[in-house]
């Protein structure tokens, strides 16, 4: 039986960008957009606030685009300061490249394992799904989900008891699956901790 774990955002990530006023390196999204029309052309910015001094900066979303080429429902969401649209645009690689920003997801996500019933089995399969492209270390995620130390997860990996079709070192932000098998005499797992990881 396949168990589903979900990596879910709990709030908007911080925006990594240097502040020109106080030299802070992080901004938080205000959830507000600025829309300017110049005849038939439109500019759109997402407003972000420096976490150090509160200075407002603008992230370019659209620049000198013909207003007729913008979907009416998108315009409505921009004018309504749609928080879901803010999240979508922050995660958009085009917006990130255009504005030379990265995202800091520390403390902005949680792991939902759906319970710990499967942890006492000899072997179990887990499908990890990402509700947003949040970069996490699979070893850390598996450790938290199974209530193990990272060192124990590394040992399971080295012993071939933890297997996956993807490399579990480094960071992943896309769905993957893994299988954990326990041998006789090896330490078992304990129920996972709850809350942010």
């Amino acid at each position: 039986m396949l168990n589903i774990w979900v990596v879910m955002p709990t709030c908007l990530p911080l925006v990594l960008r240097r502040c020109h006023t106080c030299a802070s390196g992080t901004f938080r999204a205000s959830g507000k957009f600025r829309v300017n029309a110049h005849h038939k052309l439109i500019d759109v910015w997402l407003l972000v606030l420096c976490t150090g001094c509160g200075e407002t900066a603008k992230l370019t979303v659209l620049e000198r685009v013909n207003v007729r080429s913008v979907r009416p429902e998108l315009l409505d969401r921009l004018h309504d300061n749609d928080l879901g649209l803010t999240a979508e645009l922050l995660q958009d690689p085009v917006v990130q490249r255009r504005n030379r920003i990265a995202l800091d997801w520390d403390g902005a996500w949680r792991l939902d394992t759906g319970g710990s019933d499967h942890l006492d089995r000899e072997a179990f399969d887990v499908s990890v799904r990402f509700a947003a492209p949040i970069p996490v270390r699979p070893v850390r995620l598996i450790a938290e989900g199974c209530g193990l130390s990272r060192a124990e997860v590394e040992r399971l990996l080295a012993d071939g008891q933890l297997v996956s079709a993807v490399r579990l070192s480094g960071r992943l932000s896309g769905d993957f699956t893994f299988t954990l098998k326990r041998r006789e005499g090896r330490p078992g797992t304990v129920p996972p901790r709850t809350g942010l990881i």
Side-chain angles (χ1 to χ4, degrees):
M1 179 177 160
L2 188 64
N3 301 279
I4 309 296
W5 291 4
V6 183
V7 178
M8 304 180 66
T10 55
C11 60
L12 292 173
L14 290 176
V15 175
L16 298 176
R17 174 181 170 153
R18 182 68 53 200
C19 178
H20 298 299
T21 303
C22 74
S24 166
T26 56
F27 284 75
R28 63 178 176 78
S30 69
K32 297 187 184 306
F33 295 94
R34 181 168 295 160
V35 181
N36 282 354
H38 309 277
H39 304 292
K40 294 180 181 179
L41 300 178
I42 191 172
D43 291 312
V44 177
W45 299 277
L46 172 60
L47 303 181
V48 293
L49 306 172
C50 174
T51 58
C53 66
E55 182 74 17
T56 300
K58 300 186 294 188
L59 302 182
T60 302
V61 176
L62 297 175
E63 193 170 31
R64 295 286 191 262
V65 173
N66 190 304
V67 72
R68 290 184 184 207
S69 68
V70 181
R71 298 185 323 274
E73 55 276 13
L74 175 57
L75 278 175
D76 289 343
R77 293 179 76 190
L78 290 167
H79 287 299
D80 292 341
N81 292 315
D82 185 309
L83 200 57
L85 181 60
T86 296
E88 290 171 31
L89 290 171
L90 281 177
Q91 296 166 41
D92 186 330
V94 173
V95 172
Q96 291 181 16
R97 278 194 304 274
R98 180 183 290 143
N99 294 281
R100 295 187 199 91
I101 62 168
L103 302 179
D104 179 0
W105 283 96
D106 254 10
W109 61 276
R110 68 181 170 86
L111 176 65
D112 181 1
T113 63
S116 58
D117 295 346
H118 58 285
L119 296 179
D120 56 2
R121 295 191 205 131
E122 281 298 308
F124 55 87
D125 298 308
V126 174
S127 173
V128 180
R129 300 191 180 154
F130 288 76
I134 302 168
V136 296
R137 295 187 183 281
V139 167
R140 173 185 176 186
L141 190 145
I142 293 166
E144 292 290 335
C146 293
L148 299 170
S149 69
R150 288 191 212 175
E152 178 68 4
V153 172
E154 295 279 8
R155 188 195 57 72
L156 291 168
L157 191 56
D159 288 354
Q161 293 173 260
L162 174 61
V163 293
S164 177
V166 300
R167 287 187 63 217
L168 297 178
S169 58
R171 291 179 184 265
L172 290 175
S173 58
D175 299 355
F176 69 97
T177 59
F178 69 88
T179 300
L180 193 146
K181 306 172 198 171
R182 284 195 291 275
R183 295 183 186 140
E184 289 295 321
R186 291 292 193 181
T189 57
V190 296
R193 294 186 291 275
T194 57
L196 298 178
I197 61 174

